Amino acid sequence: MSGDASELSLVGRAPGYAVMGEVLRRQETVPPRSGLARFFGLSPLHSDSVSWYWGALGEMAVGRELGKLGPEWMVLHAVPVGTGDSDIDHVLIGPPGVFTINTKHHQRGRIWLGSRMLMVNGQKTDHLRNSRYEAKRASKLLSQGLGFPVDARAILALVGTSQITVKQRPADVVVLTDRELVRWLKRQKPRLSAVELDSLLDVADLRGTWHRSADTDTHTVEEFDLLNAEVTQAYRRRRMWIGLALIAGIALAMSMVGPLLDAIT
């Protein structure tokens, strides 16, 4: 295989790769935590990094689910598109066709779904519009690479939600939780012939189909994993201190109530 970037494979690119890179860029100016901050579990994340961090965790969660698909599926993550920094979270190609997945992580979020709108905690979002756009973009790029029309179907994958109220499902975007995703995909009927599938797999695997110059740096994943470990450790330490504070508060209250009851009786 050639060393030209357009000929390098996208298979193996980590879920959330692009978002991980954005988190790390935003963390570059954050000074190291002091010993006291580490002791009390202050998060190493800057406020500007938090939403990107949760976005990366969401794509990683969906990536783990997609890893349960069989070998007849090609699963691509963080697929760069165009000439800028845009990417499609996940692209799937299998016997049922081509799917693009837009992943959104809304921890404990309350979702309202209509035919043209999805709201999170009462706030309107662009999730459906962006999911449609990504599917159209993938269709165009694959069609150009193959020389015949390709129809990609849009999926919006929701991670961490606590409640979903469905008023009406969109006709052109499949909305699923990460836990529903693989089961839904495996129920889809085959739509591609063996020849069509092979052609799609060959073209979709090439970075040049999607982006003129797409990098993949393993250090990005390694650095994010280290940051994630720090965030997790800080969270556990904060929970420990909160637990100790609650225990101390209860003990103090009991020590005050005992003498008061004695005085009353």
Side-chain angles (χ1 to χ4, degrees):
M1 182 173 288
S2 166
D4 188 307
S6 65
E7 297 302 323
L8 296 177
S9 172
L10 280 175
V11 172
R13 192 172 167 97
Y17 175 81
V19 190
M20 290 178 189
E22 186 62 33
V23 173
L24 296 174
R25 281 191 290 274
R26 289 169 182 265
Q27 288 290 118
E28 286 177 354
T29 58
V30 178
R33 290 177 298 164
S34 66
L36 190 63
R38 289 177 181 271
F39 182 74
F40 285 107
L42 182 68
S43 175
L45 290 175
H46 189 274
S47 58
D48 290 342
S49 306
V50 172
S51 62
W52 294 94
Y53 170 78
W54 283 105
L57 294 188
E59 291 187 38
M60 291 165 66
V62 169
R64 286 192 294 271
E65 291 298 315
L66 296 177
K68 300 173 183 177
L69 290 171
E72 67 272 19
W73 289 85
M74 173 184 282
V75 182
L76 303 176
H77 304 293
V79 178
V81 288
T83 57
D85 297 328
S86 299
D87 76 322
I88 300 173
D89 296 340
H90 317 273
V91 175
L92 313 179
I93 300 174
V98 181
F99 302 88
T100 58
I101 300 180
N102 181 20
T103 295
K104 293 299 176 185
H105 192 169
H106 295 292
Q107 193 67 15
R108 295 182 292 277
R110 293 176 289 104
I111 308 298
W112 183 94
L113 177 62
S115 61
R116 304 297 297 178
M117 177 56 63
L118 183 143
M119 294 193 293
V120 179
N121 299 327
Q123 300 296 314
K124 294 181 178 179
T125 72
D126 294 329
H127 296 350
L128 296 180
R129 184 191 68 182
N130 292 341
S131 299
R132 295 183 186 104
Y133 177 70
E134 288 180 356
K136 290 179 181 177
R137 203 167 190 184
S139 297
K140 180 179 179 181
L141 292 171
L142 288 172
S143 297
Q144 290 174 344
L146 284 163
F148 60 80
V150 175
D151 179 29
R153 287 182 280 174
I155 297 175
L156 173 61
L158 301 173
V159 179
T161 56
S162 63
Q163 176 185 337
I164 300 179
T165 301
V166 179
K167 178 70 174 179
Q168 185 177 354
R169 290 196 175 274
D172 52 356
V173 180
V174 178
V175 180
L176 303 165
T177 66
D178 56 323
R179 298 178 300 277
E180 299 169 325
L181 190 55
V182 170
R183 184 171 66 250
W184 184 89
L185 287 165
K186 287 185 175 181
R187 289 203 308 260
Q188 302 309 297
K189 296 180 180 179
R191 300 175 61 183
L192 299 175
S193 68
V195 174
E196 290 172 327
L197 182 56
D198 286 344
S199 299
L200 265 171
L201 295 177
D202 287 343
V203 170
D205 188 28
L206 299 178
R207 294 186 194 183
T209 299
W210 306 95
H211 196 280
R212 291 181 181 176
S213 57
D215 70 318
T216 300
D217 183 359
T218 56
H219 293 302
T220 296
V221 179
E222 293 168 357
E223 289 178 25
F224 183 85
D225 286 343
L226 290 174
L227 175 63
N228 189 29
E230 285 189 49
V231 173
T232 302
Q233 184 182 49
Y235 171 73
R236 290 173 177 168
R237 190 170 287 268
R238 289 197 304 275
R239 289 195 63 179
M240 179 193 73
W241 283 115
I242 291 171
L244 290 174
L246 287 173
I247 292 171
I250 292 170
L252 178 62
M254 292 179 67
S255 68
M256 296 174 65
V257 168
L260 180 61
L261 290 176
D262 292 340
I264 294 174
T265 56

